[in-house]
Amino acid sequence: MPQTAAELLDLLDLETIDVNLFRGRQPDTVRQRVFGGQVAAQAFLAGARTVDADRAAHSLHAYFLRPGDPRVPIVYDVERLRDGRSFSTRRVVARQHGRDIFYVTISFQVAEDGFEHQTRMPSVPAPEDGMRLVDIIRGQRNADVSVWEREWSALDVRYVGISGMGLPADEANPAQARIWVRIEGDFPDDPVLQQAAFVYASDLTLLGATLVPHGTTINSPGLQPASLDHTVWFHRAFRADRWWLYDQESPSAGGARGFATAGIYTEDGGRVASVAQEGLIRRVEGPNPNAI
């Protein structure tokens, strides 16, 4: 997986095969499956490449259909569903070995003025006062920190509150996790690439919030975790390579699935995006195939 911002940018550089058809490369990884954030970000870019530059993405709705194979490239097929005066819609299918592994529908809009309001950002410690995720992993039994450093060091992730650890742990708020995130290093100013980098990062920790009340983590043996669907709403422009607060909450888990939502805020308090995800959190025998 990318270890630097430059390697992440390289991963997001799609090859154009034909009209509306693109190919995404694979990173050097020890993972058994393609990271969901990778396929989502590459598919997002494939769709964005077919839209006029005056239209920015405001939402995407995705389904993870099958595990991706990290040994072969992914082909992205873009369908131009609609181009109206204000909105454009694209559906992107990701394929490997002749089978669909991922679907996403993306909506783009011409910039407009309108009503404005937002929720207030919660009061949290500054990023500099947060605990690095790599240090949390280092404290876990049987954790291999070198895997994190190899796979995820393109992201700077710092926890500033978890239910029962800096946040209230009660029936009203059983599963919360607040973290500051940024791409480690500078990314191009291109707003499409900034959005794609955010999509990439947004899939890393959200499912973990669903496990907070259950005394386990996304890396624990005996757990089979997998993203099932993923939705992002972009409210305002922001940079993924500057600090953004990921205010995650899981209102429900059941049926071996966990559901989580999140509000995204910049350091100045702007509510810039929202995310929702449901994922598999199944108890199994044996090792965790998706351990970070």
Side-chain angles (χ1 to χ4, degrees):
M1 298 297 291
Q3 298 184 40
T4 65
E7 290 182 6
L8 177 56
L9 184 63
D10 188 56
L11 181 65
L12 297 178
D13 184 19
L14 303 181
E15 174 191 359
T16 301
I17 302 174
D18 203 339
V19 177
N20 301 329
L21 200 61
F22 305 88
R23 180 160 46 214
R25 67 191 68 191
Q26 295 285 14
D28 181 20
T29 182
V30 297
R31 290 175 57 85
Q32 299 177 34
R33 300 177 177 181
V34 174
F35 170 50
Q38 173 194 327
V39 66
Q42 289 180 333
F44 172 82
L45 278 174
R49 283 196 180 182
T50 69
V51 175
D52 291 342
D54 66 341
R55 298 175 184 229
H58 69 88
S59 70
L60 65 86
H61 303 266
Y63 280 95
F64 299 91
L65 305 177
R66 294 182 177 89
D69 182 351
R71 300 168 299 176
V72 299
I74 304 173
V75 173
Y76 297 94
D77 190 352
V78 181
E79 182 179 359
R80 303 183 184 221
L81 296 180
R82 179 177 184 268
D83 284 304
R85 288 182 297 178
S86 300
F87 292 88
S88 292
T89 308
R90 299 292 185 265
R91 181 166 56 203
V92 185
V93 183
R95 296 191 179 98
Q96 284 184 314
H97 304 297
R99 300 200 302 174
D100 300 346
I101 65 168
F102 175 85
Y103 276 106
V104 64
T105 301
I106 313 165
S107 184
F108 302 82
Q109 182 187 12
V110 175
E112 294 185 41
D113 293 328
F115 298 112
E116 292 267 350
H117 74 269
Q118 68 159 74
T119 55
R120 181 181 301 172
M121 183 178 79
S123 178
V124 296
E128 297 76 21
D129 298 324
M131 181 178 292
R132 292 178 179 271
L133 181 54
V134 65
D135 293 331
I136 295 176
I137 294 172
R138 186 176 286 114
Q140 295 175 355
R141 188 176 8 175
N142 301 322
D144 186 351
V145 176
S146 66
V147 174
W148 166 269
E149 293 172 340
R150 172 187 170 88
E151 300 289 326
W152 307 109
S153 54
L155 302 176
D156 192 347
V157 181
R158 306 191 187 193
Y159 275 79
V160 290
I162 303 174
S163 293
M165 298 174 59
L167 292 173
D170 53 40
E171 292 182 0
N173 299 286
Q176 290 182 295
R178 290 173 177 164
I179 61 176
W180 287 104
V181 186
R182 66 178 175 182
I183 304 301
E184 182 71 88
D186 291 331
F187 225 58
D189 294 335
D190 183 351
V192 175
L193 287 174
Q194 291 286 340
Q195 286 184 314
F198 170 76
V199 171
Y200 174 87
S202 69
D203 186 48
L204 181 61
T205 62
L206 198 55
L207 194 56
T210 70
L211 299 170
V212 167
H214 305 291
T216 188
T217 70
I218 207 75
N219 297 315
S220 297
L223 183 72
Q224 181 186 359
S227 302
L228 297 175
D229 56 35
H230 195 73
T231 299
V232 178
W233 296 269
F234 294 103
H235 308 312
R236 295 166 181 85
F238 69 105
R239 297 185 64 104
D241 59 354
R242 303 295 183 265
W243 287 116
W244 41 276
L245 178 68
Y246 211 10
D247 183 19
Q248 305 165 110
E249 179 181 13
S250 175
S252 178
R257 302 184 315 277
F259 173 66
T261 64
I264 292 82
Y265 300 86
T266 51
E267 280 194 279
D268 62 4
R271 175 69 176 256
V272 292
S274 299
V275 178
Q277 182 180 88
E278 188 171 51
L280 182 69
I281 46 173
R282 176 185 289 151
R283 292 191 179 110
V284 295
E285 297 293 331
N288 182 335
N290 292 331
I292 291 175

